[in-house]
Amino acid sequence: MKKQIISIALIFVMLAAFLPGAGLAAFAADGDFTIKNGVLTKYNGSGGDVVIPEGVTSISDFAFGLNSTMTSVTIPKTVTAIGEDTFSTCSGLTKFVVKSGNPSYSSQDGVLYNKDKTLLMLCPAKKTGTLSIPDTVTSLGDWAFELCAELTGITIPKSLTSIGRFTFGACRSLTSISVDSGNPAFSSQDGVLYNKDRTTLIMCPAKKTSVSIADSVTTIGEKAFSGCGKLKSISLPASVTSIGNSAFVGCSGLTNLTLPSSVKTVGAYAFQYCTALKSVFVPKSVTSIGMWAFIDCDSLATVYYAGSREEWEALLTDEYGGSVTLHPTFENVSVYYNYTRVLKITAQPTDQNIKLGDTIKLNVKAEGEGLTYQWYFKKAGQTSFSKWNGRTHATETVTPNATWNGIQLYCIVKDSAGNTEQSNPAKITVTGTPKITRQPVSQTVALGDTIQLSVKAEGVGLTYQWYFKKAGQTAWNKWKGRTHATETVTPNATWNGIQLYCEIRDAAGAKVSSSTARITVSGAPKITVQPVSQTMALGDTIQLSVKAEGVSLTYQWYFKKAGQTAWNKWKGRTHATETVTPNATWNGIQLYCEIKDGAGDSVKSDTVTVSFK
């Protein structure tokens, strides 16, 4: 009876292995997982490649705690719910694997998504290189890239329309974010992420050493410059009105900060851990500064405020009459009231319309101590400004070429205290008839060689059309399809003595013609079609034919009848094609053609035989 009871119990254990939730007790018992009623509440294992048991239906919040030893997680098809922050501190993860058939989740290249890949839920912390987000994704989850410290680039598809909070976490190796130009919600410039119309700066990659913020920006988003420790200085454009919470947290390279007079609000913890920050200029336009805005700014010594002491104190009083604390030891910071900024741009660069080849002056004037200057430019069609190397004076004299048409320029002025001012942008418009800077040249080419015909010009919206006139022709011909500044061609024999020129037009229709170049073709004749042997009936008419390339070619046929040992010049037969009606003596005759060019170089054709049927 005892044996029978044991056997029945064993049957139930064996059946349990095939039922939903099978194996839960076994896995829970082995110490790796704490599981109750299909819910995985805690992982107790030692890390490595972790495989969640089949039968687990949900994973609790923080189930994997602060585990840093897991390298991968395999999620079974039975899991239909994953809690918040379940894997958010698993710093050793290289990949997620979701078993086929899971109705709620999926994975691709180690990244965790919802089933149809419209939501990117979490990128493993150890993901490296550049991640191209699939074009099915419409949303990035909160903290989706948290702790992805080795990710260097992110490419956003046009499908993405929503980004969660703190999505990019601590991506401290990130150098660039690029957005598909067709995306309706977001855009990028100089590797920086913006909303579509670039009024909000969403994120600057942490590895950026310098950044030119779009002039249209009004809002610096929450944590927008988080961890950008490589930035030594930053110039906020005059369009900025709001600085979000923790916007510049961890910008440990900043030493001086000037808020433009457009700024109205500064968020909480906005400049936390800006440990090198020594001085800040706060304009009178600021109406709100968040709690602990400058906490952990251990080097902060001076604040220059454009308003009065009373206005400053009012600024630091919250709506309930309490004090807004900017820094735990703010009593050690010197505040200068009614401060008039010494650095001031007094004359802005201006838009200019010039003719091609003219010299102009770009000029900015400023007041201040120890001023330095740096010009920046953005050509027509470009999306970001570039530093103009070597252009470091208040006045720069330049002679624009055609590529300058539509260029925009501005100057950043910096004083000895590290304060900066950005000038207004100026636009240069270049007009005028195209100007040829390099003419095409005459060339001598061996037959069969390839050459380049080339012309260079300056102008706006230039187009090109080549023309030719062969030796002996009196009229010029348009060379169809030859519409580039440089054309690569392989001349044949008919090109000898050909003349060519190029007509160049600008966008306004003004035109100029290049000088004429002549092409001389040299080299031994080249046979392109050999004569062929023929078998014919007595009385038939045949054609003997040869084709060749060369300059000023002449032809002479030779024959040797059957039984003869010497070749004979065939008098009067001096054409590439000869039509003859052989008589009976021609049976077995051999023939070839000798071709000479104008220089006396010659070539012989193959020998052919004429036979009768």
Side-chain angles (χ1 to χ4, degrees), residues 321-366:
S323 175
V324 176
T325 304
L326 305 183
H327 189 285
T329 57
F330 209 79
E331 61 271 15
N332 298 326
V333 177
S334 299
V335 180
Y336 293 88
Y337 306 106
N338 298 309
Y339 181 75
T340 302
R341 296 177 62 188
V342 175
L343 176 59
K344 181 180 180 181
I345 292 178
T346 57
Q348 299 282 355
T350 57
D351 294 347
Q352 299 187 53
N353 292 299
I354 68 163
K355 290 183 178 179
L356 189 64
D358 284 356
T359 296
I360 60 171
K361 286 186 177 181
L362 303 169
N363 188 50
V364 65
K365 287 185 179 180

Side-chain angles (χ1 to χ4, degrees), residues 125-129 147-152 170-174:
K126 285 291 184 180
K127 191 73 172 176
T128 61
L147 301 182
C148 290
E150 298 176 36
L151 204 61
T152 57
C171 298
R172 60 174 177 264
S173 297
L174 204 60

Side-chain angles (χ1 to χ4, degrees), residues 122-142:
L122 192 61
C123 180
K126 285 291 184 180
K127 191 73 172 176
T128 61
T130 296
L131 175 66
S132 293
I133 298 172
D135 57 13
T136 56
V137 173
T138 59
S139 302
L140 300 182
D142 293 347

